[in-house]
């Protein structure tokens, strides 16, 4: 009997030893107390993405040199999973100190209570410097919950070469959806050297939240949206029906690739099979990754309006937020001010085209050289604040669903908006 | 007679054609992955595509190897999968042997319990697991990941090995008992050596599952130094902005080839082990 | 003496099963129990959660009233039944074919297994790449052989999204099912076939009166395993379609994930997972019973 017990203990010990063989690394242990060095954990998806890696390595170096005593630990997650993973960490009481946040996630973050306002942490001058259109979109219960790293509205990218081939003037791109439809028809009459179809106008409708933002941008530019300024639901309003009818036309004439993600549109644009499409400013990075020569023909313009309503867009951008249980909120704020400083943004801009969210940075020479320069002045004006509803991610997915209903689903715009209304009445 | 012969050969031809077509269909995706990884971007998106690239374009491979991260992900994945397999085999052998040779009401309940854990979605337990790991400071360790991967694979390997032990003639063990051997000696000296094919099969199976992991590695590991393969791929190559198919297929080749090799080495045992284990168990 | 021996036997048996039970109990069973319990309370992910309390099946009621549960349940069943049927038929046919003495048999057997070693994540990407509507190779080939006229947006089409994901799932799961069936075939004594051949039984006769009946047990096991596997097939679906378009591929796994992580409503997410657990459990018990009773 004793032998059995001894053997069991031995076996368990073996298992223990074997396990200890697996390399371990504890959580970044930070030493408390004034002045002693500590580590801040920064959750980001960009740190490992090819293209931005060199910038992030330099950033860590620069920051640690300029802020002795604070070290950075990158907590990298894939873009598609960062939101969930950060919330899991926060729910367990172990959040990072700074979180890179895509704009659509902000309502969830703010509502969950796992994040704190940055109002008291960032200097007043810094906050006052943020463009008011952008600042107002980052408020939740009148408190600022995020600092913009950079921003961009949804913009129009178009292929100047294809414009010329289709007999259009690349220096006078369409400014309304009506004009865009005409241009799209002209472009899709073309085909590439292998006789493949060229799409006229790409609008993303894939089943991901960011496509929901693109759909909402379109709805708003048709005078629709989810809520009006008084907060009444207008999800089944005339503006939305018109916008969906437009989308239905695009689909019927096969001007738009079906159910595409932004990534698909970027690839098509990169290989010259898409004339015009709507994307975030930094989407151009994806285009260039496939075809660096795209720089020669890619042009940018402000988002479309319609004959009766001005162009509008949701705020798109990378934000920086601070969890409520962050261990070092002050150092987190220091980090935020550091990465959004003139020097750092100038360096980051070399690998990513974006716009700057603070008025004091408007004159940066790097911005003037960037592909986004032509729209820099007009961009803040098209940003339209969207309420921070707790169901925002779900809402965005619902918007892609109605876009899919009128296109691949073959539904009527009115049917789709009625379905959306029923959903909204229940959920919002 | 002649009619019957030609009828039969037509049938044979049809039969082989179907066989070959099916195998071709199964292999085509892998072939396509390989071919894509050897094409420059401008070729990759060309329609009509080129099915046999006329030159091997190696830039995707150079880029993947250059940045060094990928090799680390591969290595981590290998470590995690190997140790998982080892721990798994120890625990599952004991459990399988117990269920086979010393069945009691309690072991019966436990073995049903083990199997029923296979029926619950993994996504349902990550939060609870994360909280548990935080409490016992096992987050961000390979140990933690290995333990949970072991836990997910044990039920099946136990079952496989139980079936395998059932097949071994009990008489050899009985005669050892008569010779005065202890239970443990019988297990380690007699049953274990005989169960080698079963162990290899179970080991290969758990290695595959551990190699395949995404969700646990994603949730429980946050340091890039410790990341495993699937998460690493998703982190670096499925970014926010683009699908770089050339790069994605290249890392896919890297992630698959080590398994091919391992598989070819041990595949024979898998069939053997399963013959006795899962099949009759 | 005998009882003492038996007690020691039991003790030994329990000691052996202990490590496995501890690992699985702590890391799977407890979290599962906690998760099932969550399905019966209001539990959304937020800070300073007030005490949770029994909510009278509100999560289940919600899921039923919105029709989401039914939709996902139906899709999951379609998915599972489709994939498993195809798997079994193909695996049995292939195993019989590759158990014959044909040239290159060994090599063929090995290469058929290759998809299995492809990590699921990679398999999902690979199929997305192949099925890409504008420059994917699937559309090109199908048009070339004249099976379709216009390119199809496989993953963005209401009719095709689910079948496409099923194909990918089939592709990834086939090798394992195949190898188990093959193992089963090899355990059938050759003498049976030989005597049948002497009696003049043809090939199909031998398949249907010897192979299939003797494979019964194996097929039963394989069905059970691949049903469970298919139910769990989450990463593939989520990566390829995200549950879209218009919920056409929203399986129970996707629904559970969406409720938990998109809506942050873990109560509802767990309720879905519980429904799933019950479905699979009921199926396995019924299936095992039914098949067994018919056997005798």
């Amino acid at each position: 009997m004793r032998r059995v017990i001894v053997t069991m203990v031995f076996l368990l010990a073996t298992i223990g030893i074997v396990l200890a063989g697996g390399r371990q690394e504890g959580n970044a242990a930070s030493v408390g107390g004034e002045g002693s060095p500590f580590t801040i954990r920064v959750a980001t998806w960009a740190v490992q993405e090819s293209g931005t890696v060199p910038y992030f390595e330099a950033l860590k170096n620069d920051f640690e040199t300029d802020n002795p005593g604070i070290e950075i630990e990158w907590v990298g997650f894939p873009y598609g999973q960062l939101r969930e993973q950060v919330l899991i960490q926060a729910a367990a009481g172990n959040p990072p100190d700074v979180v890179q946040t895509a704009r659509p996630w902000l309502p969830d973050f703010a509502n969950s209570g796992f994040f704190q306002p940055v109002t008291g942490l960032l200097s007043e001058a810094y906050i006052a410097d943020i463009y008011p259109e952008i600042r107002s979109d980052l408020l939740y219960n009148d408190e600022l919950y995020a600092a913009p790293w950079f921003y961009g509205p949804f913009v129009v990218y178009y292929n100047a070469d294809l414009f010329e081939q289709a007999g259009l003037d690349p220096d006078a791109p369409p400014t309304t959806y009506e004009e865009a439809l005409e241009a799209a028809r002209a472009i899709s009459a073309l085909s590439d050297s292998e006789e493949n179809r060229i799409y006229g106008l790409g609008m993303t409708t894939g089943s991901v939240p960011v496509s929901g933002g693109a759909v909402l941008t379109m709805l708003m530019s048709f005078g629709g949206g989810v809520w009006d300024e008084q907060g009444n639901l207008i999800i089944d309003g005339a503006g939305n029906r018109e916008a969906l009818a437009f989308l239905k036309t695009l689909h019927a004439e096969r001007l738009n690739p079906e159910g595409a993600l932004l990534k698909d549109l970027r690839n098509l644009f990169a290989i010259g099979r898409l004339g015009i499409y709507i994307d975030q400013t930094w989407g151009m990075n994806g285009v260039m990754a496939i075809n660096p020569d795209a720089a020669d023909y890619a042009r940018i313009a402000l988002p479309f309006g319609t004959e009766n309503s001005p162009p509008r867009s949701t705020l798109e951008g990378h934000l920086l937020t601070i969890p409520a249980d962050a261990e070092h909120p002050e150092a987190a704020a220091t980090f935020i001010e550091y990465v959004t400083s003139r020097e750092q943004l100038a360096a980051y801009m070399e690998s990513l085209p974006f716009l700057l969210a603070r008025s004091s940075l408007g004159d940066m020479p790097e911005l003037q050289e960037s592909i986004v320069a032509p729209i820099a002045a007009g961009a803040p004006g098209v940003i339209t604040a969207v309420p921070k509803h707790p169901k925002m991610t779900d809402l965005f997915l619902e918007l892609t669903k109605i876009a899919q209903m009128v296109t691949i689903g073959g539904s009527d715009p009115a049917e789709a908006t009625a379905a959306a209304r029923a959903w909204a009445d229940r959920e919002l | 007679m002649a009619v019957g012969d030609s009828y039969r050969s037509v049938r044979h031809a049809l039969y082989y054609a179907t066989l070959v077509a099916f195998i071709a269909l199964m292999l085509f995706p892998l072939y396509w992955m390989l071919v894509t990884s050897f094409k420059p971007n401008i070729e990759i998106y060309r329609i009509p595509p080129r099915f046999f690239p006329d030159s091997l374009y190696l830039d995707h491979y150079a880029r993947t190897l250059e940045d060094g991260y990928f090799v680390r992900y591969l290595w981590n994945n290998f470590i995690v999968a190997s140790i998982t397999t080892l721990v798994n085999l120890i625990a599952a052998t004991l459990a399988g042997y117990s269920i086979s040779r010393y069945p009691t009401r309690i072991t019966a309940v436990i073995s049903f319990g083990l199997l029923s854990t296979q029926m619950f979605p993994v996504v349902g337990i990550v939060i609870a697991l994360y909280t548990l790991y935080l409490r016992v400071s096992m987050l961000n360790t390979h140990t933690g990941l290995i333990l949970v991967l072991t836990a997910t694979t044990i039920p099946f390997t136990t079952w496989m090995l139980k079936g395998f032990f059932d097949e071994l003639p009990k008489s050899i063990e009985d005669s050892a008992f008569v010779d005065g051997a202890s239970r443990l000696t019988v297990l380690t000296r007699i049953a274990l050596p005989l169960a080698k094919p079963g162990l290899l099969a179970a080991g290969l199976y758990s290695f595959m599952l551990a190699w395949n992991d995404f969700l646990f590695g994603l949730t429980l590991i946050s340091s890039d130094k410790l990341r495993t393969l699937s998460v690493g791929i998703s982190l670096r190559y499925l970014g926010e902005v683009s699908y770089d198919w050339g790069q994605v297929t290249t890392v896919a080749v890297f992630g698959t080839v080590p398994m091919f090799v391992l598989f070819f080495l041990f595949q024979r045992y898998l069939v053997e082990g399963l013959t006795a284990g899962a099949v009759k168990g | 003496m005998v009882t003492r021996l038996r007690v020691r036997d039991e003790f030994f048996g329990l000691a052996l099963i202990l490590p496995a039970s501890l690992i699985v109990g702590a890391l799977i069973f407890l979290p599962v129990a906690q998760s099932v319990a969550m399905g019966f309370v209001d539990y959304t992910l937020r800070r300073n959660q007030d005490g949770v309390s029994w909510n009278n099946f509100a999560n289940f009621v919600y899921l039923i009233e919105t029709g989401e549960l039914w939709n996902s349940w139906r899709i999951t069943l379609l998915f599972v039944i489709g994939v498993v049927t195809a798997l079994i038929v193909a695996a049995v046919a292939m195993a019989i074919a590759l158990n014959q003495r044909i040239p290159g048999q060994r090599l063929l057997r090995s290469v058929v297994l290759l998809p299995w070693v492809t990590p699921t994540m990679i398999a999902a990407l690979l199929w997305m790449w192949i099925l890409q509507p504008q420059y994917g190779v699937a559309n090109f080939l199908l048009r070339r052989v004249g099976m379709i006229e216009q390119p199809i947006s496989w993953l963005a089409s209401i009719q095709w999204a689910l079948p496409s994901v099923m194909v990918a799932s089939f592709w990834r799961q086939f090798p394992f099912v195949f190898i188990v069936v093959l193992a089963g075939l090899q355990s059938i004594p050759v003498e049976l076939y030989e005597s049948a051949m002497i009696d003049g039984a043809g090939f199909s006769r031998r398949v249907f009166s010897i192979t299939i009946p003797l494979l019964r047990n194996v097929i039963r096991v394989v069905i059970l395993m691949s049903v469970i596997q298919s139910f769990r097939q989450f990463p593939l679906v989520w990566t390829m379609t995200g549950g879209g378009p218009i919920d056409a591929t929203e399986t129970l796994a996707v629904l559970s994930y969406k409720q938990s992580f998109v809506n942050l409503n873990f109560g509802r997410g767990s309720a879905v997972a519980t429904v799933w657990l019950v479905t699979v459990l009921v199926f396995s018990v019924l299936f095992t019973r039914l098949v067994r009773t018919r056997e005798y």
Side-chain angles (χ1 to χ4, degrees), chain A residues 358-370:
Chain A
R358 288 186 293 136
S359 47
S360 70
L361 303 170
D363 59 341
M364 258 170 58
E366 290 82 1
L367 182 62
Q368 304 313 319
E369 289 158 22
S370 159

PDB file of all heavy atoms in Angstrom, chain A residues 358-370:
ATOM      1  N   ARG A 358      -5.834  67.113 -33.224  1.00  0.00           N
ATOM      2  CA  ARG A 358      -5.705  68.322 -32.421  1.00  0.00           C
ATOM      3  C   ARG A 358      -5.334  69.509 -33.291  1.00  0.00           C
ATOM      4  O   ARG A 358      -4.493  69.392 -34.196  1.00  0.00           O
ATOM      5  CB  ARG A 358      -4.677  68.099 -31.315  1.00  0.00           C
ATOM      6  CG  ARG A 358      -5.242  67.167 -30.242  1.00  0.00           C
ATOM      7  CD  ARG A 358      -4.324  67.021 -29.063  1.00  0.00           C
ATOM      8  NE  ARG A 358      -3.096  66.334 -29.420  1.00  0.00           N
ATOM      9  CZ  ARG A 358      -1.886  66.734 -29.017  1.00  0.00           C
ATOM     10  NH1 ARG A 358      -1.749  67.810 -28.284  1.00  0.00           N
ATOM     11  NH2 ARG A 358      -0.827  66.043 -29.354  1.00  0.00           N
ATOM     12  N   SER A 359      -5.934  70.670 -33.011  1.00  0.00           N
ATOM     13  CA  SER A 359      -5.766  71.815 -33.899  1.00  0.00           C
ATOM     14  C   SER A 359      -4.322  72.313 -33.915  1.00  0.00           C
ATOM     15  O   SER A 359      -3.837  72.783 -34.936  1.00  0.00           O
ATOM     16  CB  SER A 359      -6.724  72.936 -33.519  1.00  0.00           C
ATOM     17  OG  SER A 359      -6.689  73.169 -32.136  1.00  0.00           O
ATOM     18  N   SER A 360      -3.602  72.150 -32.815  1.00  0.00           N
ATOM     19  CA  SER A 360      -2.236  72.668 -32.794  1.00  0.00           C
ATOM     20  C   SER A 360      -1.304  71.885 -33.720  1.00  0.00           C
ATOM     21  O   SER A 360      -0.188  72.298 -33.971  1.00  0.00           O
ATOM     22  CB  SER A 360      -1.683  72.642 -31.368  1.00  0.00           C
ATOM     23  OG  SER A 360      -1.461  71.308 -30.975  1.00  0.00           O
ATOM     24  N   LEU A 361      -1.753  70.733 -34.201  1.00  0.00           N
ATOM     25  CA  LEU A 361      -0.893  69.928 -35.063  1.00  0.00           C
ATOM     26  C   LEU A 361      -1.214  70.111 -36.539  1.00  0.00           C
ATOM     27  O   LEU A 361      -0.592  69.502 -37.403  1.00  0.00           O
ATOM     28  CB  LEU A 361      -1.041  68.435 -34.707  1.00  0.00           C
ATOM     29  CG  LEU A 361      -0.743  68.041 -33.272  1.00  0.00           C
ATOM     30  CD1 LEU A 361      -1.166  66.607 -33.019  1.00  0.00           C
ATOM     31  CD2 LEU A 361       0.738  68.206 -32.973  1.00  0.00           C
ATOM     32  N   GLY A 362      -2.196  70.986 -36.817  1.00  0.00           N
ATOM     33  CA  GLY A 362      -2.696  71.125 -38.186  1.00  0.00           C
ATOM     34  C   GLY A 362      -1.636  71.524 -39.192  1.00  0.00           C
ATOM     35  O   GLY A 362      -1.757  71.247 -40.380  1.00  0.00           O
ATOM     36  N   ASP A 363      -0.567  72.179 -38.739  1.00  0.00           N
ATOM     37  CA  ASP A 363       0.420  72.722 -39.680  1.00  0.00           C
ATOM     38  C   ASP A 363       1.614  71.787 -39.857  1.00  0.00           C
ATOM     39  O   ASP A 363       2.634  72.184 -40.398  1.00  0.00           O
ATOM     40  CB  ASP A 363       0.910  74.074 -39.167  1.00  0.00           C
ATOM     41  CG  ASP A 363       1.547  73.950 -37.784  1.00  0.00           C
ATOM     42  OD1 ASP A 363       1.283  72.924 -37.105  1.00  0.00           O
ATOM     43  OD2 ASP A 363       2.297  74.851 -37.371  1.00  0.00           O
ATOM     44  N   MET A 364       1.512  70.548 -39.396  1.00  0.00           N
ATOM     45  CA  MET A 364       2.667  69.667 -39.479  1.00  0.00           C
ATOM     46  C   MET A 364       3.080  69.421 -40.917  1.00  0.00           C
ATOM     47  O   MET A 364       2.248  69.049 -41.739  1.00  0.00           O
ATOM     48  CB  MET A 364       2.370  68.322 -38.812  1.00  0.00           C
ATOM     49  CG  MET A 364       2.982  68.208 -37.434  1.00  0.00           C
ATOM     50  SD  MET A 364       2.377  66.766 -36.566  1.00  0.00           S
ATOM     51  CE  MET A 364       2.835  65.456 -37.677  1.00  0.00           C
ATOM     52  N   PRO A 365       4.336  69.636 -41.252  1.00  0.00           N
ATOM     53  CA  PRO A 365       4.752  69.452 -42.658  1.00  0.00           C
ATOM     54  C   PRO A 365       4.523  68.014 -43.134  1.00  0.00           C
ATOM     55  O   PRO A 365       4.200  67.794 -44.302  1.00  0.00           O
ATOM     56  CB  PRO A 365       6.241  69.803 -42.639  1.00  0.00           C
ATOM     57  CG  PRO A 365       6.656  69.839 -41.207  1.00  0.00           C
ATOM     58  CD  PRO A 365       5.432  70.092 -40.390  1.00  0.00           C
ATOM     59  N   GLU A 366       4.678  67.056 -42.236  1.00  0.00           N
ATOM     60  CA  GLU A 366       4.482  65.657 -42.631  1.00  0.00           C
ATOM     61  C   GLU A 366       3.065  65.432 -43.145  1.00  0.00           C
ATOM     62  O   GLU A 366       2.834  64.637 -44.048  1.00  0.00           O
ATOM     63  CB  GLU A 366       4.755  64.713 -41.459  1.00  0.00           C
ATOM     64  CG  GLU A 366       6.210  64.611 -41.059  1.00  0.00           C
ATOM     65  CD  GLU A 366       6.669  65.754 -40.159  1.00  0.00           C
ATOM     66  OE1 GLU A 366       5.819  66.628 -39.831  1.00  0.00           O
ATOM     67  OE2 GLU A 366       7.850  65.788 -39.805  1.00  0.00           O
ATOM     68  N   LEU A 367       2.121  66.149 -42.542  1.00  0.00           N
ATOM     69  CA  LEU A 367       0.726  65.997 -42.949  1.00  0.00           C
ATOM     70  C   LEU A 367       0.543  66.515 -44.371  1.00  0.00           C
ATOM     71  O   LEU A 367      -0.169  65.933 -45.175  1.00  0.00           O
ATOM     72  CB  LEU A 367      -0.180  66.755 -41.965  1.00  0.00           C
ATOM     73  CG  LEU A 367      -1.672  66.661 -42.218  1.00  0.00           C
ATOM     74  CD1 LEU A 367      -2.145  65.228 -42.101  1.00  0.00           C
ATOM     75  CD2 LEU A 367      -2.432  67.540 -41.246  1.00  0.00           C
ATOM     76  N   GLN A 368       1.230  67.630 -44.668  1.00  0.00           N
ATOM     77  CA  GLN A 368       1.080  68.223 -45.990  1.00  0.00           C
ATOM     78  C   GLN A 368       1.604  67.297 -47.081  1.00  0.00           C
ATOM     79  O   GLN A 368       1.150  67.343 -48.205  1.00  0.00           O
ATOM     80  CB  GLN A 368       1.799  69.576 -46.062  1.00  0.00           C
ATOM     81  CG  GLN A 368       1.352  70.583 -45.008  1.00  0.00           C
ATOM     82  CD  GLN A 368      -0.153  70.692 -44.885  1.00  0.00           C
ATOM     83  OE1 GLN A 368      -0.866  70.694 -45.887  1.00  0.00           O
ATOM     84  NE2 GLN A 368      -0.659  70.738 -43.646  1.00  0.00           N
ATOM     85  N   GLU A 369       2.559  66.433 -46.725  1.00  0.00           N
ATOM     86  CA  GLU A 369       3.124  65.541 -47.736  1.00  0.00           C
ATOM     87  C   GLU A 369       2.344  64.241 -47.871  1.00  0.00           C
ATOM     88  O   GLU A 369       2.544  63.484 -48.795  1.00  0.00           O
ATOM     89  CB  GLU A 369       4.582  65.198 -47.367  1.00  0.00           C
ATOM     90  CG  GLU A 369       5.526  66.362 -47.549  1.00  0.00           C
ATOM     91  CD  GLU A 369       6.775  66.189 -46.697  1.00  0.00           C
ATOM     92  OE1 GLU A 369       7.096  65.046 -46.312  1.00  0.00           O
ATOM     93  OE2 GLU A 369       7.428  67.217 -46.427  1.00  0.00           O
ATOM     94  N   SER A 370       1.492  63.996 -46.912  1.00  0.00           N
ATOM     95  CA  SER A 370       0.787  62.713 -46.893  1.00  0.00           C
ATOM     96  C   SER A 370      -0.314  62.661 -47.940  1.00  0.00           C
ATOM     97  O   SER A 370      -0.796  63.694 -48.409  1.00  0.00           O
ATOM     98  CB  SER A 370       0.214  62.498 -45.488  1.00  0.00           C
ATOM     99  OG  SER A 370      -0.832  61.583 -45.518  1.00  0.00           O
TER     100      SER A 370
END
